Amino acid sequence: PQATLLQAGTALGTQAHATCRAVPRPSGAPLVGTMAANAACAPSEASSNNPNTLFSYQAKGVPFRMQQVAVSWVFLIASATLILDFAALQSMLRHVSAGGKVWPFDELCNWFGVVSCVCWLLGFIVLAHWLHSVGATRMGLAGCYLKVVAAVFFNLQPMTGTMNDPLLGGGAGLWWSNLTGILFFHSGNVVSCLDFFLHAPPGSDKSKGWAYHGNLPITGMWVYQLATWFLVASNFLACSFGGATWAPLLPTTGALVALCQFAGSGLLLAGTMVTPFGAMASATSRTHLARERSMEGGHLGDEGKALWHQGDAGF
């Protein structure tokens, strides 16, 4: 009798698994249908008491997860090399002004700038692709594309600086490219924050603190906006404005400029570390919705699609 019951249970389990894999996918929303099927097919992981197993299950709820992971690593490199770029710049200017010898670390200034700017451009292009893939809001896409434009302008400065052409600003590069770029970057962050305000991510809760896991996408974006406030200030204060008699307002080695540079780049690094966890938390909430809708009718329906596509403004 026990063997018979075991065989019957195995047969039922196989049939349930086959039925689960056959969950219909709505023709108009292939991603949503796939997530609903995946959510319905993972009861053992979802109900596990093992934190690592549960985390693995939740991570699978992030659509096109490896793109998000890749973007996170690219932005980490961009933020870290931006800090090194500012450090090398400050060190070089201080050594030159003191009449001393330029150190090897100082000479890496433009190289750090190239790596950072190329990574910002690559990261925002991949992020835009991810946002299109998950059906983000138009405002979220607009914020991302403003940052793509910003990264293009960022790349002009180290590119012309390594050319060392006197007509293009010599070793300093074009005087206007960094200021233009950071204004676009800051505008993109403002648009992204507004998008989160108007289209709150699923799982967020205004009654809870900034550190609540469902609010981390919003927290990360506000950290990014705070970072670009500092960077707008540092660029504006130290900009030469094409050799105008009144510019720069403060020398690049001034304490306020240096403070804004390192505060801004450090906050970009902090925001980069916060945002991926928030994206996973938001996607986890949508995954639970997918499970509920899939169990009800095999697909999410209009309400589920609307909730799934909310809150994908990204970085």
Side-chain angles (χ1 to χ4, degrees):
Q2 292 180 351
T4 303
L5 289 174
L6 178 60
Q7 292 174 356
T10 303
L12 287 173
T14 303
Q15 181 182 1
H17 181 66
T19 302
C20 180
R21 288 188 298 172
V23 170
R25 182 191 308 177
S27 58
L31 172 62
V32 176
T34 301
M35 292 310 302
N38 288 344
C41 291
S44 60
E45 288 183 345
S47 60
S48 174
N49 291 325
N50 187 326
N52 292 331
T53 303
L54 183 59
F55 183 85
S56 175
Y57 163 72
Q58 292 174 343
K60 291 176 183 177
V62 180
F64 303 99
R65 178 169 55 96
M66 294 313 297
Q67 288 186 31
Q68 189 68 266
V69 172
V71 167
S72 299
W73 279 107
V74 170
F75 283 150
L76 283 172
I77 295 172
S79 303
T81 49
L82 180 60
I83 295 173
L84 293 173
D85 182 25
F86 286 142
L89 175 65
Q90 292 292 336
S91 177
M92 177 180 63
L93 292 177
R94 281 168 169 74
H95 288 149
V96 170
S97 62
K101 183 180 178 180
V102 176
W103 292 5
F105 176 73
D106 305 347
E107 296 175 334
L108 290 172
C109 179
N110 271 330
W111 185 84
F112 287 136
V114 168
V115 174
S116 179
C117 294
V118 169
C119 284
W120 285 120
L121 179 60
L122 174 63
F124 285 125
I125 290 175
V126 176
L127 179 63
H129 181 273
W130 183 77
L131 292 175
H132 276 287
S133 299
V134 300
T137 63
R138 291 185 178 181
M139 188 174 292
L141 287 169
C144 182
Y145 278 122
L146 283 170
K147 298 170 205 178
V148 172
V149 174
V152 172
F153 282 108
F154 286 153
N155 278 273
L156 293 179
Q157 187 277 323
M159 181 186 75
T160 53
T162 53
M163 291 170 64
N164 201 25
D165 188 332
L167 296 177
L168 299 175
L174 294 172
W175 66 266
W176 50 267
S177 60
N178 273 342
L179 180 59
T180 304
I182 197 58
L183 289 174
F184 272 102
F185 197 173
H186 184 62
S187 299
N189 288 335
V190 171
V191 170
S192 295
C193 286
L194 180 60
D195 180 53
F196 275 138
F197 177 76
L198 296 177
H199 313 103
S204 62
D205 190 338
K206 293 183 179 180
S207 66
K208 298 185 179 180
W210 292 92
Y212 174 64
H213 71 275
N215 294 336
L216 287 179
I218 303 171
T219 302
M221 188 52 60
W222 277 98
V223 171
Y224 258 58
Q225 187 187 154
L226 179 60
T228 49
W229 274 112
F230 281 108
L231 293 175
V232 166
S234 67
N235 277 273
F236 186 83
L237 291 173
C239 184
S240 66
F241 289 95
T245 55
W246 52 269
L249 297 176
L250 290 176
T252 304
T253 54
L256 182 58
V257 174
L259 174 64
C260 289
Q261 287 178 341
F262 288 112
S265 56
L267 286 170
L268 286 179
L269 182 62
T272 299
M273 291 187 290
V274 168
T275 304
F277 294 102
M280 195 204 77
S282 177
T284 298
S285 299
R286 283 171 280 172
T287 302
H288 294 324
L289 173 64
R291 286 192 68 206
E292 294 173 1
R293 294 297 185 269
S294 66
M295 291 176 181
E296 291 174 3
H299 58 85
L300 289 177
D302 293 337
E303 178 187 359
K305 294 174 189 177
L307 286 172
W308 180 267
H309 290 148
Q310 280 184 355
D312 283 311
F315 291 85

